[in-house]
PDB file of all heavy atoms in Angstrom:
ATOM      1  N   THR N 155     127.189  37.630 125.919  1.00  0.00           N
ATOM      2  CA  THR N 155     128.557  37.119 125.807  1.00  0.00           C
ATOM      3  C   THR N 155     128.474  35.665 125.338  1.00  0.00           C
ATOM      4  O   THR N 155     127.444  35.011 125.529  1.00  0.00           O
ATOM      5  CB  THR N 155     129.281  37.170 127.166  1.00  0.00           C
ATOM      6  OG1 THR N 155     128.622  36.279 128.073  1.00  0.00           O
ATOM      7  CG2 THR N 155     129.304  38.593 127.711  1.00  0.00           C
ATOM      8  N   PRO N 156     129.543  35.149 124.763  1.00  0.00           N
ATOM      9  CA  PRO N 156     129.520  33.751 124.306  1.00  0.00           C
ATOM     10  C   PRO N 156     129.213  32.753 125.423  1.00  0.00           C
ATOM     11  O   PRO N 156     128.663  31.689 125.171  1.00  0.00           O
ATOM     12  CB  PRO N 156     130.931  33.540 123.751  1.00  0.00           C
ATOM     13  CG  PRO N 156     131.399  34.897 123.368  1.00  0.00           C
ATOM     14  CD  PRO N 156     130.780  35.826 124.368  1.00  0.00           C
ATOM     15  N   GLU N 157     129.544  33.109 126.650  1.00  0.00           N
ATOM     16  CA  GLU N 157     129.336  32.184 127.773  1.00  0.00           C
ATOM     17  C   GLU N 157     127.882  32.142 128.252  1.00  0.00           C
ATOM     18  O   GLU N 157     127.481  31.204 128.924  1.00  0.00           O
ATOM     19  CB  GLU N 157     130.222  32.589 128.972  1.00  0.00           C
ATOM     20  CG  GLU N 157     131.709  32.534 128.708  1.00  0.00           C
ATOM     21  CD  GLU N 157     132.220  33.744 127.908  1.00  0.00           C
ATOM     22  OE1 GLU N 157     131.646  34.852 128.030  1.00  0.00           O
ATOM     23  OE2 GLU N 157     133.174  33.562 127.129  1.00  0.00           O
ATOM     24  N   GLU N 158     127.090  33.160 127.931  1.00  0.00           N
ATOM     25  CA  GLU N 158     125.725  33.220 128.458  1.00  0.00           C
ATOM     26  C   GLU N 158     124.790  32.180 127.838  1.00  0.00           C
ATOM     27  O   GLU N 158     124.060  31.504 128.555  1.00  0.00           O
ATOM     28  CB  GLU N 158     125.127  34.623 128.254  1.00  0.00           C
ATOM     29  CG  GLU N 158     125.705  35.657 129.188  1.00  0.00           C
ATOM     30  CD  GLU N 158     125.083  37.015 128.962  1.00  0.00           C
ATOM     31  OE1 GLU N 158     125.567  37.751 128.070  1.00  0.00           O
ATOM     32  OE2 GLU N 158     124.108  37.339 129.672  1.00  0.00           O
ATOM     33  N   TYR N 159     124.785  32.073 126.504  1.00  0.00           N
ATOM     34  CA  TYR N 159     123.844  31.164 125.836  1.00  0.00           C
ATOM     35  C   TYR N 159     124.502  30.379 124.706  1.00  0.00           C
ATOM     36  O   TYR N 159     124.118  30.486 123.549  1.00  0.00           O
ATOM     37  CB  TYR N 159     122.631  31.937 125.308  1.00  0.00           C
ATOM     38  CG  TYR N 159     121.803  32.516 126.418  1.00  0.00           C
ATOM     39  CD1 TYR N 159     121.863  33.875 126.715  1.00  0.00           C
ATOM     40  CD2 TYR N 159     120.976  31.703 127.184  1.00  0.00           C
ATOM     41  CE1 TYR N 159     121.113  34.412 127.741  1.00  0.00           C
ATOM     42  CE2 TYR N 159     120.221  32.235 128.217  1.00  0.00           C
ATOM     43  CZ  TYR N 159     120.293  33.584 128.488  1.00  0.00           C
ATOM     44  OH  TYR N 159     119.552  34.104 129.508  1.00  0.00           O
ATOM     45  N   PRO N 160     125.513  29.542 125.026  1.00  0.00           N
ATOM     46  CA  PRO N 160     126.077  28.670 123.988  1.00  0.00           C
ATOM     47  C   PRO N 160     125.051  27.581 123.643  1.00  0.00           C
ATOM     48  O   PRO N 160     124.126  27.309 124.415  1.00  0.00           O
ATOM     49  CB  PRO N 160     127.316  28.070 124.658  1.00  0.00           C
ATOM     50  CG  PRO N 160     126.988  28.096 126.116  1.00  0.00           C
ATOM     51  CD  PRO N 160     126.142  29.324 126.328  1.00  0.00           C
ATOM     52  N   PHE N 161     125.241  26.961 122.500  1.00  0.00           N
ATOM     53  CA  PHE N 161     124.257  25.978 122.035  1.00  0.00           C
ATOM     54  C   PHE N 161     124.040  24.851 123.046  1.00  0.00           C
ATOM     55  O   PHE N 161     122.902  24.447 123.282  1.00  0.00           O
ATOM     56  CB  PHE N 161     124.666  25.395 120.678  1.00  0.00           C
ATOM     57  CG  PHE N 161     123.634  24.446 120.154  1.00  0.00           C
ATOM     58  CD1 PHE N 161     122.395  24.927 119.741  1.00  0.00           C
ATOM     59  CD2 PHE N 161     123.869  23.081 120.089  1.00  0.00           C
ATOM     60  CE1 PHE N 161     121.425  24.054 119.269  1.00  0.00           C
ATOM     61  CE2 PHE N 161     122.904  22.216 119.622  1.00  0.00           C
ATOM     62  CZ  PHE N 161     121.682  22.698 119.206  1.00  0.00           C
ATOM     63  N   HIS N 162     125.097  24.345 123.683  1.00  0.00           N
ATOM     64  CA  HIS N 162     124.911  23.232 124.626  1.00  0.00           C
ATOM     65  C   HIS N 162     124.012  23.646 125.795  1.00  0.00           C
ATOM     66  O   HIS N 162     123.284  22.832 126.351  1.00  0.00           O
ATOM     67  CB  HIS N 162     126.256  22.665 125.106  1.00  0.00           C
ATOM     68  CG  HIS N 162     127.012  23.566 126.030  1.00  0.00           C
ATOM     69  ND1 HIS N 162     127.891  24.525 125.566  1.00  0.00           N
ATOM     70  CD2 HIS N 162     127.013  23.664 127.375  1.00  0.00           C
ATOM     71  CE1 HIS N 162     128.404  25.168 126.604  1.00  0.00           C
ATOM     72  NE2 HIS N 162     127.891  24.668 127.725  1.00  0.00           N
ATOM     73  N   GLN N 163     124.033  24.930 126.167  1.00  0.00           N
ATOM     74  CA  GLN N 163     123.142  25.388 127.233  1.00  0.00           C
ATOM     75  C   GLN N 163     121.720  25.568 126.708  1.00  0.00           C
ATOM     76  O   GLN N 163     120.752  25.306 127.421  1.00  0.00           O
ATOM     77  CB  GLN N 163     123.646  26.693 127.840  1.00  0.00           C
ATOM     78  CG  GLN N 163     122.821  27.139 129.035  1.00  0.00           C
ATOM     79  CD  GLN N 163     123.348  28.407 129.667  1.00  0.00           C
ATOM     80  OE1 GLN N 163     124.157  29.121 129.092  1.00  0.00           O
ATOM     81  NE2 GLN N 163     122.873  28.684 130.864  1.00  0.00           N
ATOM     82  N   LEU N 164     121.565  26.002 125.458  1.00  0.00           N
ATOM     83  CA  LEU N 164     120.230  26.146 124.865  1.00  0.00           C
ATOM     84  C   LEU N 164     119.505  24.802 124.830  1.00  0.00           C
ATOM     85  O   LEU N 164     118.280  24.746 124.977  1.00  0.00           O
ATOM     86  CB  LEU N 164     120.325  26.741 123.462  1.00  0.00           C
ATOM     87  CG  LEU N 164     120.829  28.185 123.373  1.00  0.00           C
ATOM     88  CD1 LEU N 164     120.963  28.612 121.919  1.00  0.00           C
ATOM     89  CD2 LEU N 164     119.929  29.131 124.141  1.00  0.00           C
ATOM     90  N   LYS N 165     120.264  23.717 124.670  1.00  0.00           N
ATOM     91  CA  LYS N 165     119.661  22.376 124.693  1.00  0.00           C
ATOM     92  C   LYS N 165     118.970  22.115 126.023  1.00  0.00           C
ATOM     93  O   LYS N 165     117.929  21.474 126.076  1.00  0.00           O
ATOM     94  CB  LYS N 165     120.723  21.305 124.429  1.00  0.00           C
ATOM     95  CG  LYS N 165     121.170  21.209 122.998  1.00  0.00           C
ATOM     96  CD  LYS N 165     122.172  20.071 122.844  1.00  0.00           C
ATOM     97  CE  LYS N 165     122.577  19.897 121.404  1.00  0.00           C
ATOM     98  NZ  LYS N 165     123.496  18.765 121.229  1.00  0.00           N
ATOM     99  N   ASP N 166     119.548  22.635 127.114  1.00  0.00           N
ATOM    100  CA  ASP N 166     118.937  22.469 128.439  1.00  0.00           C
ATOM    101  C   ASP N 166     117.587  23.175 128.533  1.00  0.00           C
ATOM    102  O   ASP N 166     116.784  22.856 129.403  1.00  0.00           O
ATOM    103  CB  ASP N 166     119.857  23.010 129.538  1.00  0.00           C
ATOM    104  CG  ASP N 166     121.162  22.248 129.637  1.00  0.00           C
ATOM    105  OD1 ASP N 166     121.225  21.084 129.167  1.00  0.00           O
ATOM    106  OD2 ASP N 166     122.137  22.818 130.173  1.00  0.00           O
ATOM    107  N   TYR N 167     117.337  24.151 127.660  1.00  0.00           N
ATOM    108  CA  TYR N 167     116.078  24.902 127.652  1.00  0.00           C
ATOM    109  C   TYR N 167     115.155  24.474 126.514  1.00  0.00           C
ATOM    110  O   TYR N 167     114.237  25.198 126.136  1.00  0.00           O
ATOM    111  CB  TYR N 167     116.364  26.405 127.583  1.00  0.00           C
ATOM    112  CG  TYR N 167     117.113  26.886 128.796  1.00  0.00           C
ATOM    113  CD1 TYR N 167     118.473  27.158 128.729  1.00  0.00           C
ATOM    114  CD2 TYR N 167     116.472  27.024 130.027  1.00  0.00           C
ATOM    115  CE1 TYR N 167     119.169  27.575 129.853  1.00  0.00           C
ATOM    116  CE2 TYR N 167     117.174  27.428 131.151  1.00  0.00           C
ATOM    117  CZ  TYR N 167     118.516  27.707 131.057  1.00  0.00           C
ATOM    118  OH  TYR N 167     119.204  28.115 132.178  1.00  0.00           O
ATOM    119  N   GLY N 168     115.406  23.287 125.962  1.00  0.00           N
ATOM    120  CA  GLY N 168     114.507  22.713 124.966  1.00  0.00           C
ATOM    121  C   GLY N 168     114.797  23.075 123.529  1.00  0.00           C
ATOM    122  O   GLY N 168     114.020  22.747 122.641  1.00  0.00           O
ATOM    123  N   ILE N 169     115.915  23.744 123.262  1.00  0.00           N
ATOM    124  CA  ILE N 169     116.288  24.089 121.885  1.00  0.00           C
ATOM    125  C   ILE N 169     117.225  22.997 121.381  1.00  0.00           C
ATOM    126  O   ILE N 169     118.400  22.971 121.714  1.00  0.00           O
ATOM    127  CB  ILE N 169     116.973  25.471 121.807  1.00  0.00           C
ATOM    128  CG1 ILE N 169     116.100  26.558 122.417  1.00  0.00           C
ATOM    129  CG2 ILE N 169     117.368  25.795 120.374  1.00  0.00           C
ATOM    130  CD1 ILE N 169     114.819  26.843 121.695  1.00  0.00           C
ATOM    131  N   LYS N 170     116.675  22.079 120.605  1.00  0.00           N
ATOM    132  CA  LYS N 170     117.475  20.944 120.114  1.00  0.00           C
ATOM    133  C   LYS N 170     118.175  21.258 118.794  1.00  0.00           C
ATOM    134  O   LYS N 170     119.265  20.776 118.535  1.00  0.00           O
ATOM    135  CB  LYS N 170     116.592  19.706 119.937  1.00  0.00           C
ATOM    136  CG  LYS N 170     115.837  19.311 121.197  1.00  0.00           C
ATOM    137  CD  LYS N 170     116.761  18.883 122.289  1.00  0.00           C
ATOM    138  CE  LYS N 170     115.963  18.429 123.508  1.00  0.00           C
ATOM    139  NZ  LYS N 170     116.629  18.580 124.746  1.00  0.00           N
TER     140      LYS N 170
END
Side-chain angles (χ1 to χ4, degrees):
T155 65
E157 298 78 30
E158 287 180 274
Y159 294 104
F161 183 69
H162 71 272
Q163 185 178 15
L164 294 176
K165 285 183 177 183
D166 296 339
Y167 297 104
I169 304 294
K170 304 295 183 207

